[in-house]
Amino acid sequence: MKPRAFVPEKLDLAVFAREGAALEGQWPAASLQRLADSGAPEAPAAAWQPVRWQLQGEVRQPKGGAAQTWLHVTASARVALTCQRCLQPVEEQVDIDRWIRFVDTEVEAAALDADSDDDVLALPRHLDARELIEDELLLTLPLVPRHDVCPEPLLATQDPAGVDEEEGERPNPFAKLSALKRGGGA
């Protein structure tokens, strides 16, 4: 019998897991639009390395329980984000390695996800693995990307409202209030 061909963008996950099938590949980073949009504008995703990924389906049969559908997802990407200190591009390595359990309904997924450390999702008729991988990569991005040591010195910021340029000192914020009180207005 000829092995079944699986397409990651329209994956019949139940059959994929039942057959213990595996897929792997790479996509241009620019083809993952939301990931590309999260990058630094000065370093477009077209110049990034391709996103490498692997999927492995599995059916687990726990003792005394119903069969469980699992998907092992791994992916790695090198993305250019905006450093929050110097505002220049900073490259970040983003890797995911997750086991996801799939159940029949959203209600069951929500209940199990709340009670378990495992990631639990409702089993779709067809899974878009590209979208799932992109979601997982986005969740793994650092909240505050920054260089360990910024390549350019940081510019000194000037507080336009509070610095007296001639003296270089901040005026006392209560000086105006004191002047008003002395001026006789209650």
Side-chain angles (χ1 to χ4, degrees):
M1 183 172 174
K2 184 176 151 185
R4 188 181 306 251
F6 294 101
V7 178
E9 291 82 5
K10 195 172 181 181
L11 190 61
D12 185 342
L13 192 55
V15 175
F16 186 76
R18 192 170 43 247
E19 291 186 7
L23 284 174
E24 65 180 273
Q26 62 184 24
W27 295 310
S31 71
L32 302 174
Q33 190 62 49
R34 293 176 295 145
L35 184 64
D37 289 346
S38 69
E42 303 85 6
W48 300 354
Q49 297 174 2
V51 174
R52 299 184 190 292
W53 56 271
Q54 294 179 328
L55 302 172
Q56 174 69 48
E58 181 179 308
V59 173
R60 297 180 186 170
Q61 185 67 48
K63 259 188 185 175
Q68 299 174 349
T69 302
W70 288 83
L71 180 66
H72 186 212
V73 180
T74 59
S76 73
R78 189 135 184 96
V79 299
L81 303 172
T82 301
C83 173
Q84 296 302 296
R85 277 188 272 202
C86 68
L87 301 178
Q88 298 298 313
V90 57
E91 283 197 4
E92 296 280 352
Q93 180 66 36
V94 182
D95 297 304
I96 56 172
D97 187 352
R98 299 225 196 312
W99 279 97
I100 303 171
R101 180 178 171 196
F102 287 87
V103 295
D104 294 328
T105 66
E106 291 283 344
V107 173
E108 185 180 0
L112 286 172
D113 197 34
D115 294 338
S116 160
D117 290 336
D118 297 322
D119 293 325
V120 183
L121 297 173
L123 183 65
R125 179 165 169 79
H126 294 298
L127 175 73
D128 184 347
R130 180 187 295 256
E131 189 174 297
L132 176 68
I133 290 169
E134 184 176 23
D135 288 345
E136 293 295 330
L137 287 169
L138 286 168
L139 289 170
T140 308
L141 290 177
L143 293 175
V144 182
R146 59 181 182 234
H147 294 102
D148 291 333
V149 176
C150 291
E152 297 178 18
L154 301 179
L155 298 175
T157 58
Q158 191 79 332
D159 183 6
V163 175
D164 183 352
E165 292 181 17
E166 291 177 313
E167 296 179 23
E169 294 182 21
R170 291 182 184 258
N172 184 339
F174 297 104
K176 286 186 179 181
L177 181 60
S178 178
L180 283 173
K181 286 179 90 176
R182 276 185 271 139

